[in-house]
């Protein structure tokens, strides 16, 4: 076992343990233990558990991306200040002012990359579990050789979870992997686009950082599409499910905590205005017409006897004397 394998093995063990526990839970619910969908849903359960663990980092990533976008006007000022100055003192001063800007705003440029960086080892661990532990039927930790053989022989739509686009001549494998590669690439693109278009103010979209984000938005799907032909079907399922979870989670966070000046913030204000109208109006106009007297009477309970009113209660003494003489 080389250094990389010894480094990644603990993650392989954890990935295998989660899959085995999810598989046991699904079989307890009545799904066949040797079924391909049982093992595929075990991979989906792996995604859900990993993403729940990474929720705090995901929120931090959204805030960091938003903070970096909002800092771009100040970053441009610093860059303009030292434009054309290549001496070491100017470079050092520009770096110092940039770091001070990050510190004062509480923004860390590396926070936006944390969830992706932390998922990469998990991705490789799952790749090795499928490619070696299951395909070779050797198992990994809790994933015994018997379970590995069961998973290796299972299939969905006629394709095994360990099959790849380039490693199989079966038409079912070709079609399924092609669909999953396209779905993985499209969901990667839409997730990145949602973050840029909905949660960035217009003023932050015309700067080097935004251009870099746009490049990533178009480059990543191409990279995944090209490299996806070597990924096992189980890994494609993992990545596609991860993108779906990320997109939904991201939409929720952007809806609740939009960046100032973004389209998401405008939509939030409109929703709040509509809710305020519904609470205040409830279908009836609350406008007061000038000169109109609004009379309000206390409602009477049904069945209550109405007492007669005496008409002479407010009469003067003279009128009272005259009535008594009569």
């Amino acid at each position: 076992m080389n250094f990389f394998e010894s480094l990644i093995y603990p993650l392989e063990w954890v990935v295998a343990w989660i899959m085995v526990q999810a598989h046991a839970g699904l079989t307890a619910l009545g799904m066949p233990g040797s079924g391909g969908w049982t093992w595929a849903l075990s991979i989906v359960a792996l995604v859900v558990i990993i993403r729940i663990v990474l929720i705090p980092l995901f929120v931090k990533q959204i805030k960091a991306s938003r903070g970096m976008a909002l800092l771009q006007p100040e970053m441009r000022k610093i860059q303009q200040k030292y434009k054309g100055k290549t001496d070491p003192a100017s470079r050092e001063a520009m770096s110092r002012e940039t770091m001070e800007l990050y510190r004062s705003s509480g923004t860390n440029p590396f926070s936006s990359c944390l969830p992706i960086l932390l998922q990469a080892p998990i991705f490789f661990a799952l790749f090795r579990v499928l490619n070696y532990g299951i395909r070779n039927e050797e198992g990994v930790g809790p994933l015994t050789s018997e379970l590995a053989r069961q998973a290796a022989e299972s299939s969905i739509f006629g394709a095994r979870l360990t099959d790849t686009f380039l490693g199989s001549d079966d038409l079912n494998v070709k079609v399924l992997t092609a669909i999953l590669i396209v779905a993985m690439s499209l969901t990667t693109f839409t997730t990145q686009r949602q973050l840029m278009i909905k949660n960035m103010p217009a003023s932050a979209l015309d700067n080097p950082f935004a251009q870099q984000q746009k490049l990533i938005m178009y480059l990543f799907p191409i990279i995944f599409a090209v490299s996806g032909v070597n990924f096992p079907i189980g890994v494609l399922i993992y990545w596609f499910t991860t993108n779906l979870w990320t997109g939904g989670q991201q939409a929720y966070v952007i809806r609740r905590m939009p960046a100032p000046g973004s389209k998401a913030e405008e939509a939030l204000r409109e929703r709040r205005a509509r809710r305020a109208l519904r609470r205040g109006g409830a279908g009836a106009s609350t406008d007061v017409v000038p000169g109109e007297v609004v009379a309000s009477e206390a409602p009477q309970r049904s069945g209550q006897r109405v007492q007669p009113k005496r008409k002479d209660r407010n009469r003067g003494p003279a009128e009272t004397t005259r009535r008594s003489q009569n």
Side-chain angles (χ1 to χ4, degrees):
M1 183 180 291
N2 57 37
F3 176 75
F4 176 77
E5 291 176 348
S6 60
L7 188 65
I8 203 86
Y9 181 76
L11 276 177
E12 291 180 34
W13 197 96
V14 172
V15 166
W17 183 84
I18 294 174
M19 288 182 61
V20 168
Q21 297 303 315
H23 180 266
L26 291 169
T27 53
L29 293 175
M31 296 188 70
S34 59
W37 284 107
T38 308
W39 285 104
L41 289 177
S42 299
I43 295 175
V44 173
L46 172 68
V47 173
V48 173
I49 292 171
I50 295 298
R51 296 302 299 185
I52 289 175
V53 172
L54 293 179
I55 281 177
L57 287 177
F58 179 81
V59 175
K60 196 171 184 179
Q61 176 197 21
I62 293 289
K63 291 182 177 179
S65 299
R66 180 176 65 183
M68 287 295 296
L70 296 177
L71 281 182
Q72 289 310 303
E74 298 298 324
M75 293 287 293
R76 281 200 298 269
K77 290 180 183 178
I78 295 176
Q79 291 167 358
Q80 289 296 324
K81 180 180 177 180
Y82 294 98
K83 186 178 181 180
K85 299 179 181 180
T86 57
D87 58 287
S90 298
R91 291 295 181 185
E92 182 182 352
M94 186 174 73
S95 299
R96 186 171 59 251
E97 290 185 23
T98 302
M99 295 307 296
E100 177 61 25
L101 180 62
Y102 289 149
R103 188 195 62 79
S104 60
S105 63
T107 302
N108 186 348
F110 299 105
S111 296
S112 59
C113 304
L114 273 178
I116 296 176
L117 293 176
L118 287 176
Q119 279 195 87
I122 300 170
F123 177 81
F124 285 119
L126 177 62
F127 183 88
R128 287 183 59 83
V129 168
L130 290 170
N131 231 26
Y132 299 101
I134 293 180
R135 175 175 288 175
N136 298 336
E137 300 181 1
E138 296 176 355
V140 176
L143 184 69
T144 63
S145 57
E146 181 181 351
L147 286 174
R149 187 180 307 109
Q150 188 183 82
E153 294 173 355
S154 66
S155 63
I156 55 173
F157 299 117
R160 296 179 301 175
L161 297 178
T162 55
D163 286 335
T164 63
F165 184 88
L166 294 180
S168 176
D169 295 326
D170 192 307
L171 181 61
N172 290 333
V173 175
K174 296 286 189 185
V175 172
L176 183 58
T177 50
I179 291 173
L180 286 172
I181 289 170
V182 171
M184 178 182 67
S185 301
L186 283 177
T187 50
T188 300
F189 174 79
T190 53
T191 300
Q192 292 293 326
R193 189 176 185 276
Q194 176 181 237
L195 186 61
M196 286 197 64
I197 302 301
K198 287 189 176 182
N199 203 42
M200 282 193 182
S203 60
L205 293 176
D206 186 18
N207 56 70
F209 177 76
Q211 297 303 320
Q212 181 183 4
Q213 293 294 103
K214 285 182 181 178
L215 179 63
I216 292 174
M217 181 176 69
Y218 289 102
L219 187 60
F220 271 17
I222 296 174
I223 292 174
F224 288 139
V226 172
S227 59
V229 294
N230 295 306
F231 294 163
I233 288 176
V235 172
L236 295 175
I237 292 173
Y238 172 86
W239 205 253
F240 173 60
T241 309
T242 296
N243 287 345
L244 288 180
W245 178 282
T246 302
Q249 192 177 52
Q250 187 173 271
Y252 177 81
V253 173
I254 290 174
R255 181 182 175 88
R256 308 283 280 190
M257 297 185 299
S262 64
K263 291 182 178 180
E265 188 189 39
E266 294 178 9
L268 178 61
R269 288 178 178 175
E270 291 176 1
R271 290 195 302 271
R272 287 177 175 173
R274 287 195 296 267
R275 283 198 296 266
L277 279 174
R278 285 197 296 267
R279 286 196 299 266
S285 175
T286 56
D287 297 333
V288 177
V289 180
E292 182 183 13
V293 179
V294 180
S296 61
E297 295 181 359
Q300 295 178 352
R301 290 176 295 182
S302 111
Q304 182 178 0
R305 182 174 179 271
V306 180
Q307 297 292 335
K309 296 181 180 179
R310 293 182 58 186
K311 296 183 180 181
D312 60 342
R313 181 172 297 173
N314 296 325
R315 297 175 185 268
E319 180 68 19
T320 303
T321 305
R322 185 167 56 85
R323 288 176 61 89
S324 61
Q325 289 176 352
N326 294 334

